[in-house]
Amino acid sequence: MKNKAKFMNWERRNLMKKLLKLIGVILMVLSLVACSGQSSNNESTGTTEGGEVDYSQELIIYTNSASGGRGEWLVEKAKEAGFNIQMVQVPGGELTDRVIAEKNNAIADMVYGINVMDMNKLKAQDLLIQFTPVWIDKIDKSLADSEGYYNPVFVQPLILIGNPDVDVMPNDWTELGEQYTQKYALHGLTGGTGRAILGSIISRYLDENGELGVSEEGWKVVEAYIKGNNALQGGQDMMARILDPEDEVQYGMMWASGALQGQKDYDVKFKVMAPEIGVPFVTEQTAILNTSKKQELAKEFINWFGSAEILEEYSANFGSIPANNDSKVGEDIEDLLSIVKPQDLDWELIGSHLDEWVEKVELEYVQ
């Protein structure tokens, strides 16, 4: 009976999440639908009648990377270059679902920020066009889609940071639940960061005979990891909690640029966990939706955005690591990259199972 009640509670929560997503889509349609069809030019490509790119048209970009002033900065910087963009912030775990849900009534022109796993979902739905940016030779091509459906602008290590005064940092994510229970805070599984790190942990325990392809030992590690989380409550700031001497939390999950930006905001230097196996390095990708009527305009924007100069300036403001090898980075990024190394991960395999792994974790372990 206890398990049945627990399942019913999860079902109700899951239904509520789906309803909230649907409401969000409806509200976005109502607020943005007026943005389409306003130009008298050739909207099928985003060009004028003379065949030139029409920069006056509004380019709608769905992104999970507009928080912390990033979206406002990019809108203003793009405006200086002649672009008229609208950034629509959507959590990483929900963004792909929203784009797929809007497939037959599309609003966005392009997507920016989500990782390879989520881009592959859009690719599998035949929602992306092939495009080769002018800066393609400046990046590590292994970071981009081999068929050209998406291309990266930033690389993002996913890390565990600690209060500057802690004596000991954990050695690995797998230690947290057993040795540091309630002393760490994780981001939720609706966002890309929490999902990617969960996938990186589970992928170490693959077993074709285990539940959902994972060994019993693996699920025990994950259970302890999730149940030991001193979860953020609505609106709480991860770094503020870590730095609060009266808060039990001393460690927190963070994407690298967020941690580096936080160091500037709080004038501190966080300690960083450096697992021997490495940490997940994810990419912030760009892609153009084949449902867009402004594809040529989107191509021009991506060519501009991924240039060494723009990424370098963005990096200086927000701590992101440019994928463009011609971009210079600050000492804070160099210091971080001297501490952490990339974990060897099969993102295609992880992505093919992650939804069902997350579903089990939310049903059985999230409290």
Side-chain angles (χ1 to χ4, degrees):
M1 291 294 293
K2 183 177 179 181
N3 288 336
K4 183 177 180 181
K6 188 175 182 181
F7 178 76
M8 292 178 67
N9 287 335
W10 177 83
E11 283 284 279
R12 284 194 289 269
R13 291 200 305 270
N14 196 40
L15 178 60
M16 183 60 66
K17 287 181 182 179
K18 291 180 180 178
L19 288 173
L20 289 173
K21 286 183 183 180
L22 179 60
I23 291 170
V25 170
I26 293 172
L27 290 175
M28 185 174 293
V29 169
L30 292 175
S31 64
L32 295 179
V33 70
C35 295
S36 62
Q38 292 180 348
S39 172
S40 61
N41 296 326
N42 182 0
E43 292 188 342
S44 65
T45 60
T47 59
T48 65
E49 291 180 359
E52 298 179 352
V53 174
D54 181 9
Y55 290 89
S56 69
Q57 291 191 48
E58 184 176 55
L59 192 69
I60 299 176
I61 304 172
Y62 280 7
T63 181
N64 62 336
S65 300
S67 61
R70 293 170 176 82
E72 292 86 347
W73 184 92
L74 191 54
V75 167
E76 289 304 312
K77 199 68 183 176
K79 186 177 180 180
E80 293 175 11
F83 294 99
N84 176 22
I85 67 171
Q86 180 178 353
M87 305 283 284
V88 180
Q89 173 75 19
V90 186
E94 300 175 11
L95 195 153
T96 51
D97 292 338
R98 180 166 294 183
V99 172
I100 293 169
E102 294 174 357
K103 184 173 184 177
N104 296 320
N105 189 21
I107 296 171
D109 297 299
M110 60 169 286
V111 173
Y112 151 60
I114 56 176
N115 59 38
V116 168
M117 292 184 292
D118 289 325
M119 282 296 184
N120 280 336
K121 289 182 182 180
L122 298 182
K123 180 180 175 181
Q125 291 287 324
D126 296 322
L127 278 166
L128 307 180
I129 70 167
Q130 291 173 301
F131 172 56
T132 303
V134 295
W135 38 260
I136 192 68
D137 291 333
K138 303 296 183 181
I139 67 169
D140 178 352
K141 291 187 178 64
S142 68
L143 302 177
D145 180 50
S146 60
E147 297 178 293
Y149 285 96
Y150 51 80
N151 297 281
V153 284
F154 294 111
V155 178
Q156 195 75 257
L158 305 181
I159 59 178
L160 185 80
I161 58 175
N163 185 296
D165 296 327
V166 295
D167 294 326
V168 179
M169 284 296 292
N171 292 312
D172 204 337
W173 301 101
T174 55
E175 285 187 359
L176 294 180
E178 184 176 334
Q179 301 182 34
Y180 296 88
T181 183
Q182 299 304 305
K183 293 183 179 180
Y184 61 92
L186 308 175
H187 286 289
L189 296 174
T190 59
T193 298
R195 289 169 62 90
I197 291 176
L198 177 68
S200 76
I201 295 171
I202 294 178
S203 67
R204 306 188 205 181
Y205 300 94
L206 299 180
D207 181 351
E208 61 181 13
N209 297 317
E211 183 180 3
L212 301 179
V214 180
S215 70
E216 182 178 352
E217 178 189 2
W219 286 123
K220 287 181 180 179
V221 170
V222 171
E223 180 178 8
Y225 165 78
I226 294 295
K227 289 185 176 180
N229 174 31
N230 195 325
L232 296 176
Q233 303 303 315
Q236 283 186 324
D237 180 89
M238 175 74 78
M239 285 165 281
R241 287 197 67 183
I242 293 172
L243 295 171
D244 184 351
E246 297 183 1
D247 198 312
E248 188 178 5
V249 170
Q250 296 178 306
Y251 313 96
M253 173 190 291
M254 186 56 61
W255 51 95
S257 65
L260 295 176
Q261 190 174 8
Q263 289 188 158
K264 294 179 181 178
D265 293 342
Y266 288 99
D267 192 24
V268 297
K269 188 173 180 61
F270 294 110
K271 291 188 175 177
V272 178
M273 181 179 73
E276 184 177 347
I277 198 172
V279 298
F281 274 47
V282 297
T283 48
E284 296 184 13
Q285 301 279 348
T286 59
I288 301 169
L289 298 174
N290 64 13
T291 50
S292 171
K293 296 180 179 180
K294 305 163 192 170
Q295 294 177 15
E296 295 304 315
L297 180 60
K299 290 176 183 178
E300 289 300 308
F301 174 76
I302 291 174
N303 282 335
W304 168 83
F305 183 27
S307 66
E309 179 183 2
I310 298 303
L311 296 190
E312 189 173 313
E313 191 171 347
Y314 188 104
S315 177
N317 281 277
F318 302 110
S320 297
I321 303 171
N324 191 316
N325 294 321
D326 284 353
S327 299
K328 298 180 177 64
V329 298
E331 290 184 7
D332 53 351
I333 292 178
E334 291 181 348
D335 288 345
L336 177 65
L337 293 177
S338 71
I339 297 172
V340 297
K341 64 180 181 181
Q343 182 179 353
D344 184 14
L345 293 165
D346 184 341
W347 288 118
E348 185 173 351
L349 183 149
I350 293 172
S352 67
H353 296 284
L354 189 56
D355 285 344
E356 60 184 5
W357 291 343
V358 168
E359 184 177 13
K360 174 180 169 64
V361 169
E362 289 183 327
L363 173 61
E364 300 183 20
Y365 305 147
V366 174
Q367 299 172 326

